[in-house]
């Protein structure tokens, strides 16, 4: 398709530079605005003259096209954010997407590994190791994802040394991980013993792989910052090698971190801070996971649980 109109293109530049959205999120925003531009062109509507009624018709059209409620909600969120910025710039008189909501959908619980499975995955040594240095890196990445509850982008964004340009780094002496999370919010989370030991083992061999001057903590075989696709592929292969039936992805380890921590501590507010959630309601989903854990224990142990 043709390039985005100037208004949408400038908003994406703002989102990249000022909001510091991840490349993956920027791709989602770009796709969403390209879709809006096509719909506006089909309806012969000027983007700056979009009315509330027209915006409602666009939302209804998404529903008629068979999009899932979650997909519609994502598109409306992208469009709402764009028009909010356009309003701040004085380019539109109102935000036509304010108040528009997607049809409600059932909210599936995040999938988390059991404690034993998570520990097994972190400590698993594949039968065939092509490069022991990469295995040291892989184990350190898994330990940090599960032990510190990091997002994939936060893990990949870590640098080997703290600096003004670093998005994140690990302070081994103090036992802390410093990351730049969503919305440009910085947070620190404790570094567990197992993660610290795995990280030290990786740092002992990192210099053999890292390209000269490469700041990234975790690098690929070519010596530069490891890619998200490499991380996801590694986790899938590691889970299969460990005999796990579930499809394991980076965010599942973050879910596991939150669920297991809540099961042990019961401190929802602390879990919220460790995860970097802006709102407690985002963290509350893990209380449902905790309830499921308790229900399984009851069903397995209580004499009156089974008929």
């Amino acid at each position: 398709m043709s390039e985005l109109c100037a208004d949408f293109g400038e908003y994406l530049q703002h989102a990249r530079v000022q909001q510091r959205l991840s490349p993956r999120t920027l791709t989602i925003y770009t796709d969403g605005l390209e879709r809006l531009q096509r719909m506006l062109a089909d309806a012969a509507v000027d983007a700056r003259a979009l009315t509330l009624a027209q915006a409602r018709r666009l939302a209804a059209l998404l529903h008629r096209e068979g999009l899932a409620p979650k997909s519609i909600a994502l598109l409306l969120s992208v469009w709402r954010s764009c028009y909010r910025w356009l309003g701040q710039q004085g380019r539109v008189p109102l935000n036509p997407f304010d108040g528009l909501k997607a049809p409600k959908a059932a909210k599936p619980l995040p999938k988390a590994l059991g404690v034993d499975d998570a520990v097994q995955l972190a400590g698993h040594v594949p039968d065939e190791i092509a490069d022991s240095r990469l295995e040291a890196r892989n184990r350190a990445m898994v330990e940090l994802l599960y032990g510190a509850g990091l997002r994939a982008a936060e893990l990949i964004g870590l640098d080997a040394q703290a600096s003004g340009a670093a998005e994140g780094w690990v302070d081994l002496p103090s036992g802390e991980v410093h990351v730049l999370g969503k919305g440009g919010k910085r947070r620190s989370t404790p570094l567990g013993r197992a993660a610290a030991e795995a990280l030290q083992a990786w740092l002992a061999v990192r210099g053999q792989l890292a390209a000269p001057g490469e700041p990234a903590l975790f690098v690929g075989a070519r010596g530069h910052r490891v890619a998200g696709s490499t991380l996801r592929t590694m986790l899938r292969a590691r889970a299969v090698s460990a005999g796990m039936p579930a499809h394991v992805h980076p965010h599942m380890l973050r879910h596991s971190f939150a669920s297991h921590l809540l099961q042990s501590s019961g401190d929802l507010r602390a879990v919220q801070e460790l995860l970097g959630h802006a709102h407690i309601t985002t963290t509350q989903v893990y209380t449902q996971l905790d309830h499921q854990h308790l229900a399984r224990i009851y069903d397995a142990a209580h004499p009156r649980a089974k008929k």
Side-chain angles (χ1 to χ4, degrees):
M1 88 165 260
S2 60
E3 290 187 0
L4 284 169
C5 67
D7 285 338
F8 293 170
E10 289 178 31
Y11 167 69
L12 288 174
Q13 179 69 3
H14 162 80
R16 182 181 69 83
V17 176
Q18 299 299 326
Q19 294 179 278
R20 303 187 70 171
L21 298 183
S22 69
R24 190 176 182 183
T25 303
L26 276 175
T27 298
I28 294 173
Y29 273 51
T30 302
D31 292 345
L33 290 176
E34 286 179 346
R35 185 169 194 140
L36 175 59
Q37 185 165 293
R38 288 195 298 269
M39 295 176 75
L40 291 174
D42 291 343
V45 174
D46 183 351
R48 293 195 182 189
L50 185 63
T51 65
L52 295 172
Q54 290 168 334
R56 282 195 293 270
R57 283 196 288 273
L58 292 179
L61 182 59
L62 294 175
H63 184 61
R64 286 199 297 272
E65 289 177 354
L67 263 69
K70 189 174 181 179
S71 298
I72 296 175
L74 178 59
L75 284 170
L76 291 178
S77 175
V78 172
W79 299 351
R80 189 180 301 113
S81 297
C82 178
Y83 271 84
R84 183 181 302 119
W85 180 80
L86 291 175
Q88 293 169 351
Q89 300 300 307
R91 304 186 190 185
V92 294
L94 52 82
N95 188 339
F97 296 103
D98 267 348
L100 276 185
K101 296 182 179 179
K104 289 186 176 180
K107 294 183 178 179
L109 292 176
K111 294 181 179 179
L113 295 172
V115 175
D116 291 342
D117 284 343
V119 172
Q120 179 184 347
L121 182 67
H124 175 68
V125 179
D127 295 332
E128 296 182 3
I129 301 175
D131 190 326
S132 60
R133 299 168 300 178
L134 292 180
E135 170 53 26
R137 179 205 66 183
N138 293 346
R139 181 168 185 176
M141 289 196 297
V142 174
E143 288 285 6
L144 273 174
L145 285 172
Y146 175 57
L150 302 186
R151 300 179 176 93
E154 294 169 348
L155 177 81
I156 292 170
L158 292 173
D159 280 357
Q161 300 291 333
S163 70
E167 291 188 0
W169 63 90
V170 178
D171 187 340
L172 275 172
S174 67
E176 289 185 321
V177 185
H178 303 274
V179 297
L180 184 67
K182 285 186 176 181
K185 292 179 60 179
R186 289 199 175 276
R187 76 178 190 282
S188 299
T189 185
L191 182 69
R193 177 185 54 80
E197 291 175 354
L199 189 57
Q200 287 173 331
W202 159 240
L203 288 173
V205 297
R206 175 187 173 276
Q208 300 174 21
L209 287 175
E214 174 57 56
L217 174 60
F218 295 112
V219 299
R222 296 183 179 180
H224 298 291
R225 192 178 299 275
V226 70
S229 57
T230 300
L231 174 61
R232 292 189 293 273
T233 300
M234 178 275 291
L235 271 180
R236 283 197 297 269
R238 195 179 189 88
V240 170
S241 176
M244 307 237 168
H247 166 60
V248 178
H249 52 83
H251 222 65
M252 183 180 287
L253 291 178
R254 178 171 159 88
H255 292 323
S256 303
F257 163 85
S259 177
H260 301 165
L261 192 61
L262 186 60
Q263 288 173 14
S264 299
S265 69
D267 192 334
L268 187 64
R269 184 67 67 180
V271 174
Q272 177 196 2
E273 292 182 8
L274 290 170
L275 291 174
H277 286 162
H279 305 289
I280 193 70
T281 52
T282 309
T283 319
Q284 283 175 335
V285 65
Y286 295 107
T287 62
Q288 300 178 54
L289 288 174
D290 185 42
H291 176 74
Q292 288 187 341
H293 169 73
L294 294 175
R296 285 194 297 270
I297 292 175
Y298 176 87
D299 288 341
H302 196 283
R304 306 294 285 177
K306 298 176 182 179
K307 294 182 180 179

